Amino acid sequence: MARPKRNLLATAQETSSPPASLDHGQEIARVCKAEGKNLYSVELPAGAKPLLVELPSRFRSQIWIKRGGYVLVDTNAFVDRDNKLDGEIVNVVRDEKSWRKQAYWPAEFVKKPAYPDDSDEEESNVGKMPPSDDSDSGI
């Protein structure tokens, strides 16, 4: 039997806006890759080793996380357990623009332009006539 739609709407509403502040042990991380079985490898802004985090059951089959996306991770979730998990995904960044405006957004996660700026390179020859030879002026 499928989950009620109100659960899906509640989850979507919960992840639509960023929190006012982060609790102790919560950090924003970039998703490196999906490891399988609702486990994701994420990197923190400090650039340390990748962490293995779990997606809680309330997000499973409702919110999809893509590689390169951002999530809010609680690193204190599995401190008392002795396992390979380093944390739990608390929230998924869906509206990245509003999250970037928050004071706690890490400076290491700068927005990359969709099209690289080619102003440093030479001028492009696309759509231009080939250069004319001045030595052939005696036709």
Side-chain angles (χ1 to χ4, degrees):
M1 187 170 168
R3 291 182 178 175
K5 190 167 186 163
R6 67 179 177 271
N7 290 351
L8 174 65
L9 295 175
T11 304
Q13 180 65 28
E14 180 182 330
T15 62
S16 64
S17 61
S21 64
L22 298 181
D23 295 336
H24 179 70
Q26 290 184 345
E27 296 185 60
I28 295 177
R30 182 184 300 139
V31 177
C32 297
K33 71 179 201 176
E35 299 287 344
K37 295 284 187 179
N38 300 308
L39 298 177
Y40 291 88
S41 178
V42 298
E43 63 180 359
L44 296 176
K49 66 177 181 82
L51 301 177
L52 187 65
V53 295
E54 180 184 27
L55 186 69
S57 61
R58 69 175 185 213
F59 292 130
R60 294 177 189 165
S61 300
Q62 294 186 16
I63 303 278
W64 303 106
I65 301 174
K66 64 180 180 177
R67 185 175 44 224
Y70 298 99
V71 293
L72 183 63
V73 175
D74 184 11
T75 55
N76 294 336
F78 298 118
V79 171
D80 54 342
R81 287 193 196 168
D82 187 30
N83 59 9
K84 63 182 181 177
L85 294 177
D86 297 315
E88 180 181 37
I89 296 174
V90 178
N91 204 341
V92 179
V93 176
R94 291 178 51 219
D95 184 17
E96 190 176 322
K97 190 173 184 179
S98 64
W99 281 75
R100 286 186 181 277
K101 293 178 184 176
Q102 299 297 324
Y104 51 77
W105 186 266
E108 289 86 357
F109 292 149
V110 294
K111 185 163 178 82
K112 296 177 184 168
Y115 299 103
D117 188 20
D118 293 336
S119 62
D120 296 343
E121 298 178 8
E122 293 182 10
E123 201 172 307
S124 175
N125 291 333
V126 175
K128 294 184 180 178
M129 295 292 293
S132 62
D133 292 336
D134 291 337
S135 62
D136 292 339
S137 60
I139 300 179

